Amino acid sequence: MTTLRKPRNLTDLARQMNVTAATVSLALRNSPLLSAEVREKIQRTAAELEFSPRAYTRRTKSNRVKEKTGLGPVMLLLDDHGEEDPVRDGIMPVVSQNLSRYGIEHQYINQSRLRETPELLKEFKGIVFCNDLKGILLPENYPGVQVFGWEARGSALDRITTNDDEIVSLAVEYLCRAGVKRAVIIWQRNMVQIPRHPRIACFLERMNELGIQAAPMPFDREEPDFSGRMKELISSGDERIGFFGFNALCGVKLCCALESLGLLRKYSPHSVLVCDKSLLLNGFFPRPAMIDLNLPAMAERAVNLLIGRLGKPEYPGILMLQSPRLLLSQEQL
């Protein structure tokens, strides 16, 4: 059994617990974004390791109280599960911070509670949520903003998501520049809720059009022998293979598998690319190249969309696409 050592900082504790730094940060702030079980586990471990960063000491509130705008209250709708989600954890806290900055009252509500008590919507003037709603239908002209997801749930609903066409272009260009002869895209099955996700389908199509054999490699969350499948895949053809992780969690799964096979140093500097930026990926050496989705900017734009939507709920909903950018280390340039 591995014994955890006293962490040097928040990121060190996150790596030891195999979660993101954002998850540790949320847990130590007792955020409702995480399940009680996850919060308690991280808080208990931090206490046992005598880890108490100065960043989480309670600050004295300023005597100056920000004037309320009258635009709220706004509902921040959360998933029912407590699974780690770097994208959600990079979006919702920033949404909360920006609403506070504008003096807009808001409250976290779980989807299960809203399903049980749909009349809760009457107590709020608008809503912000990540991904698709499950069993919840918003009233006509109910102001809201959806970050990511595919199913529009109201005519007054705006949506902001990443530009998957640009993501695929960055991925294809990067791996082609690396001289790969084969490519594989890795994703977790329960993360992809639509039959033909453009990030997956377009990547496979474009690579094959360029004469580079591309294959899908989905996996299950608790899959016991992902490393074995990875070994079989690598040994089945040309060793000049490129790897594309659907998001940060898939990238961690991929890097762990390559590391267990003793192949991370061989592939990671130039042939491993992950769609998302996460502190967890910085823990691998060499770390993979990353496509930054700029989640804080998405969260800020979501709040700006909502403010406009609260004033004009009758306007048709709009779709806003966020442009990604490629992040490279010195050795990857």
Side-chain angles (χ1 to χ4, degrees):
M1 181 176 177
T2 303
T3 301
L4 298 180
R5 54 177 170 76
K6 185 172 182 177
R8 298 183 299 274
N9 50 41
L10 183 145
T11 301
D12 191 23
L13 175 60
R15 288 172 180 166
Q16 291 191 63
M17 297 194 68
N18 197 29
V19 297
T20 65
T23 298
V24 173
S25 173
L26 291 168
L28 295 181
R29 284 185 277 133
N30 208 32
S31 169
L33 280 170
L34 303 177
S35 68
E37 181 183 357
V38 172
R39 290 198 307 269
E40 290 169 4
K41 179 181 178 182
I42 293 174
Q43 291 169 1
R44 183 173 61 252
T45 301
E48 291 173 353
L49 297 176
E50 299 179 349
F51 178 69
S52 181
R54 288 191 298 273
Y56 294 99
T57 56
R58 185 175 297 276
R59 298 177 180 177
T60 303
K61 291 185 178 179
S62 169
N63 292 329
R64 182 181 177 184
V65 179
K66 181 173 292 189
E67 183 179 352
K68 295 178 182 178
T69 63
L71 292 177
V74 169
M75 179 188 295
L76 302 187
L77 193 63
L78 301 179
D79 308 28
D80 295 324
H81 59 76
E83 292 182 9
E84 185 180 8
D85 185 342
V87 172
R88 177 203 63 206
D89 297 346
I91 291 285
M92 296 305 280
V94 183
V95 168
S96 175
Q97 291 166 11
N98 278 280
L99 288 171
S100 297
R101 181 161 59 89
Y102 286 114
I104 300 175
E105 293 182 84
H106 55 282
Q107 182 181 347
Y108 288 110
I109 299 291
N110 286 330
Q111 287 199 25
S112 56
R113 182 183 172 192
L114 184 57
R115 280 194 295 271
E116 294 168 1
T117 317
E119 57 269 23
L120 271 175
L121 285 170
K122 298 178 182 178
E123 300 178 15
F124 296 87
K125 294 183 179 179
I127 189 170
V128 179
F129 58 94
C130 281
N131 303 316
D132 291 323
L133 297 178
K134 299 175 181 177
I136 297 171
L137 183 63
L138 298 178
E140 198 73 15
N141 291 336
Y142 193 85
V145 176
Q146 176 181 6
V147 187
F148 293 100
W150 296 94
E151 299 177 6
R153 292 301 182 104
S155 58
L157 187 72
D158 297 323
R159 184 161 66 92
I160 179 170
T161 188
T162 54
N163 190 325
D164 279 303
D165 185 69
E166 291 187 14
I167 288 173
V168 170
S169 294
L170 289 173
V172 170
E173 180 182 354
Y174 180 77
L175 294 178
C176 286
R177 193 165 65 243
V180 303
K181 298 301 180 184
R182 294 191 294 152
V184 60
I185 181 168
I186 296 100
W187 76 91
Q188 189 173 310
R189 284 190 176 89
N190 69 330
M191 291 178 176
V192 180
Q193 304 297 327
I194 60 174
R196 181 183 164 84
H197 195 290
R199 192 179 308 169
I200 298 171
C202 292
F203 176 78
L204 296 173
E205 289 171 2
R206 293 191 196 177
M207 293 299 279
N208 283 312
E209 287 172 359
L210 292 170
I212 299 173
Q213 179 187 357
M217 192 174 182
F219 65 91
D220 295 313
R221 185 169 179 268
E222 302 297 335
E223 184 170 335
D225 194 30
F226 180 74
S227 295
R229 278 210 295 143
M230 182 65 67
K231 181 179 180 180
E232 183 179 348
L233 172 75
I234 293 172
S235 61
S236 66
D238 196 308
E239 65 177 11
R240 290 169 293 179
I241 184 170
F243 303 89
F244 182 33
F246 183 85
N247 62 13
L249 291 181
C250 299
V252 169
K253 184 83 168 181
L254 166 62
C255 289
C256 285
L258 291 175
E259 194 167 50
S260 70
L261 297 172
L263 296 173
L264 186 61
R265 287 178 181 267
K266 176 178 179 178
Y267 288 109
S268 188
H270 304 292
S271 303
V272 178
L273 179 63
V274 179
C275 181
D276 203 359
K277 183 181 71 171
S278 171
L279 291 174
L280 269 182
L281 295 169
N282 290 336
F284 293 98
F285 181 79
R287 76 162 175 80
M290 292 180 273
I291 294 177
D292 183 11
L293 304 181
N294 202 350
L295 300 181
M298 292 184 72
E300 184 172 356
R301 288 171 180 170
V303 171
N304 291 335
L305 283 172
L306 180 67
I307 291 174
R309 177 58 54 189
L310 290 171
K312 300 289 184 180
E314 71 277 9
Y315 281 17
I318 65 170
L319 170 64
M320 177 180 288
L321 297 180
Q322 170 79 21
S323 291
R325 60 176 181 150
L326 187 63
L327 295 181
L328 300 176
S329 64
Q330 191 63 38
E331 62 187 353
Q332 292 160 343
L333 294 173

